[in-house]
């Protein structure tokens, strides 16, 4: 349930697209807090803020932040429009929560793209790379642009992790390198809003004119340590959606020799479950050359059962390390940097390189 705190803004710290970091004094002492101005307004020093500190207290994946729920003494102005029509959109995201946001869906009646998407039935063979974790996004993008620097790459953010796209500093740093972001399901805050992965893929292709799309959840990952209890299960469903819409599915493998948990060493059970049990259609699964021998052996053994359903594609990795080191945003997964889990980032970059190779 929600753990509430009331506090006073002492200072406004750094900000990025859609979010601002605050220093807040509370009865528990000073806290770092995060506010989304589009939801709650723009806090200023001296403002009283209501905070949700539940995940922070438990040490869960909120980046160490309390989250601002409201500025109760200085409410933001109503959005433009009379609020009684659907002219400004009627997609409700984070539905039936106190901070449900009403957004303009890319394919609804008031959208300028309504006719385009109403007529769209296919993504025209577009390569779509699916990944378990948000941290794979910049590495996949680096792999695409290593060989095809002019390729237009879109990001489709699913709702398994963070719901506001604004939470991601990675996305903020990649804004000049992506064709755009589509937030789907309950996620919101992208350049385009879509209700489903299917609509999101069509929007990436026909509105953002993407050559390649990357599908991954927002920052954070829900997992219980059981076979089926993790948000990345949705990857398999994304593979199915890509195939239904006439795209080319490419599954980025979650490979690691830096993760201390046995279930994630070699090929993570997340990848093996999503691609091996949930995906019902064949996908390309790029396997990077150049892995350390012990890790390579673990990977080959884990992937052998998937070879009957999917296409295992060996990908040369020359130049990918340099592309990863030139990435415009810091690379980090579960607190591990590039050199602490090189295989993870190399596998993601290899998936991007393979997607680039599928382009005309």
């Amino acid at each position: 349930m929600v753990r509430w705190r009331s506090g006073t803004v002492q200072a406004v710290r750094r900000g990025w697209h859609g979010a601002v970091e605050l220093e807040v004094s509370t009865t528990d002492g000073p806290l770092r807090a995060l506010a989304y101005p589009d939801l709650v307004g723009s806090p200023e020093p001296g403002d009283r803020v209501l905070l949700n500190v539940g995940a922070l207290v438990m040490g869960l994946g909120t980046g160490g932040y309390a989250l601002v729920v409201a500025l109760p003494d200085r409410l933001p102005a109503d959005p433009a429009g009379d609020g009684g029509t659907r002219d400004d959109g009627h997609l409700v995201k984070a539905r039936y929560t106190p901070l449900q946001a009403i957004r303009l869906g890319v394919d609804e009646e008031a959208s300028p793209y309504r006719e385009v998407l109403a007529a769209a039935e296919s993504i025209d063979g577009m390569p779509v790379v699916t990944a378990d974790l948000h941290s794979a996004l910049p590495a996949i993008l680096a792999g695409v642009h290593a060989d095809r620097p002019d390729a237009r790459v879109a990001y489709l953010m699913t709702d398994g992790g963070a719901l506001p796209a604004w939470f991601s500093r990675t996305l903020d740093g990649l804004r000049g390198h992506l064709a755009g972001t589509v937030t789907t399901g309950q996620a919101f805050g992208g350049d385009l809003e879509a209700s489903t992965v299917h609509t999101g893929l069509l929007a990436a292709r026909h509105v953002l004119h993407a050559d390649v799309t990357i599908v991954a959840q927002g920052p954070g990952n829900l997992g219980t340590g059981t076979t089926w209890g993790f948000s990345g299960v949705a990857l398999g469903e994304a593979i199915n959606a890509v195939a239904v819409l006439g795209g080319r599915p490419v599954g980025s493998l979650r490979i690691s020799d830096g993760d201390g948990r046995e279930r994630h060493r070699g090929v993570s059970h997340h990848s093996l479950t999503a691609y091996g049990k949930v995906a019902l259609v064949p996908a390309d699964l790029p396997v990077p050359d150049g892995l350390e021998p012990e890790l390579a052996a673990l990977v080959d053994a884990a992937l052998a059962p998937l070879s009957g359903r999917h296409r295992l594609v060996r990908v040369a990795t020359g130049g990918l390390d340099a592309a990863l080191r030139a990435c415009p945003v810091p690379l980090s997964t579960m607190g591990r940097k590039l050199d602490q889990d090189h295989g993870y980032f190399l596998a993601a970059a290899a998936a991007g390189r393979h997607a680039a190779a599928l382009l005309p």
Side-chain angles (χ1 to χ4, degrees), residues 38 48 50 54 100 119 123-124 160 187 233 239 256-257 271 282-283 288 340 352:
D38 276 8
R48 186 165 67 97
L50 299 182
Q100 62 183 13
I123 56 175
D124 307 326
V233 165
I239 292 287
S256 177
D257 60 358
S271 290
Q340 295 171 308

Side-chain angles (χ1 to χ4, degrees), residues 5-16 19-26 29-36 40 43 49-53 56 62-71 167 169:
R5 295 293 184 273
S6 178
T8 301
V9 177
Q10 298 300 309
V12 177
R13 301 302 188 189
R14 60 180 174 170
W16 55 93
V20 61
E21 183 181 290
L22 311 170
E23 179 183 324
V24 178
S25 62
T26 72
L31 295 178
R32 280 196 317 156
L34 196 69
Y36 302 118
V40 301
V49 290
L50 299 182
L51 304 173
N52 181 337
V53 300
L56 174 62
T62 63
Y65 292 114
L67 297 173
V68 175
V69 180
L71 280 65
F167 184 78
R169 293 193 297 275

Side-chain angles (χ1 to χ4, degrees), residues 18 35 63 70 76 87 99 101 112-114 139-140 158 200 204 212 218 242 260 290 353:
D87 293 346
L99 287 178
Y113 310 111
R114 165 74 172 193
I140 296 169
T158 62
V212 176
V242 174
R353 167 167 278 178

Side-chain angles (χ1 to χ4, degrees), residues 4-331:
W4 291 92
R5 295 293 184 273
S6 178
T8 301
V9 177
Q10 298 300 309
V12 177
R13 301 302 188 189
R14 60 180 174 170
W16 55 93
H17 179 72
V20 61
E21 183 181 290
L22 311 170
E23 179 183 324
V24 178
S25 62
T26 72
T27 55
D28 292 343
L31 295 178
R32 280 196 317 156
L34 196 69
Y36 302 118
D38 276 8
L39 291 184
V40 301
S42 298
E44 297 177 359
D47 281 338
R48 186 165 67 97
V49 290
L50 299 182
L51 304 173
N52 181 337
V53 300
L56 174 62
V57 168
M58 295 186 69
L60 300 179
T62 63
Y65 292 114
L67 297 173
V68 175
V69 180
L71 280 65
D73 303 323
R74 195 168 61 82
L75 298 177
D78 286 347
D82 64 15
T85 71
R86 299 185 176 192
D87 293 346
D88 297 309
H90 79 293
L91 252 63
V92 181
K93 300 290 189 90
R95 291 186 285 279
Y96 302 104
T97 66
L99 287 178
Q100 62 183 13
I102 300 176
R103 312 289 291 181
L104 175 63
V106 66
D107 62 335
E108 65 173 302
E109 293 86 344
S111 169
Y113 310 111
R114 165 74 172 193
E115 292 185 9
V116 170
L117 289 181
E121 296 182 352
S122 169
I123 56 175
D124 307 326
M126 177 178 66
V128 178
V129 186
T130 61
D132 182 27
L133 299 177
H134 188 73
S135 56
L137 169 62
I140 296 169
L141 182 64
V144 174
H145 283 162
D147 295 344
R148 296 293 294 268
D150 296 330
R152 290 180 59 82
V153 182
Y155 170 48
L156 189 153
M157 179 174 142
T158 62
D159 57 11
L163 296 186
W166 309 313
F167 184 78
S168 174
R169 293 193 297 275
T170 293
L171 266 185
D172 181 58
L174 293 178
R175 283 180 65 80
H177 303 270
L178 289 168
T181 295
V182 187
T183 36
T184 66
Q186 298 278 17
F188 57 93
D191 300 298
L192 300 173
E193 303 283 0
S195 53
T196 66
V197 169
H198 298 75
T199 302
L201 288 169
L202 290 167
R205 180 62 173 174
H206 297 288
V207 177
L208 297 177
H209 306 294
D211 302 308
V212 176
T213 294
I214 300 169
V215 177
Q217 63 187 338
N221 179 58
L222 176 65
T224 63
T226 62
T227 300
W228 298 101
F230 65 97
S231 49
V233 165
L235 284 188
E237 301 292 1
I239 292 287
N240 298 336
V242 174
V244 165
L245 293 174
R248 184 72 180 266
V250 176
S252 178
L253 294 167
R254 182 174 170 181
I255 290 174
S256 177
D257 60 358
D259 198 312
R261 297 167 294 179
E262 187 63 29
R263 65 184 184 273
H264 293 306
R265 293 184 66 81
V267 181
S268 168
H269 83 97
H270 285 195
S271 290
L272 298 177
T273 300
Y275 299 138
K277 298 180 179 180
V278 182
L280 302 178
V281 295
D284 293 352
L285 302 182
V287 183
D289 287 333
L291 296 175
E292 293 294 328
E294 183 178 350
L295 177 58
L298 288 173
V299 168
D300 289 344
L303 292 178
L306 273 62
S307 62
R309 178 178 301 180
H310 300 295
R311 298 174 287 271
L312 304 183
V313 183
R314 307 296 306 196
V315 178
T317 55
L320 289 184
D321 180 75
L324 289 168
R325 294 186 189 281
C327 191
V329 297
L331 296 175

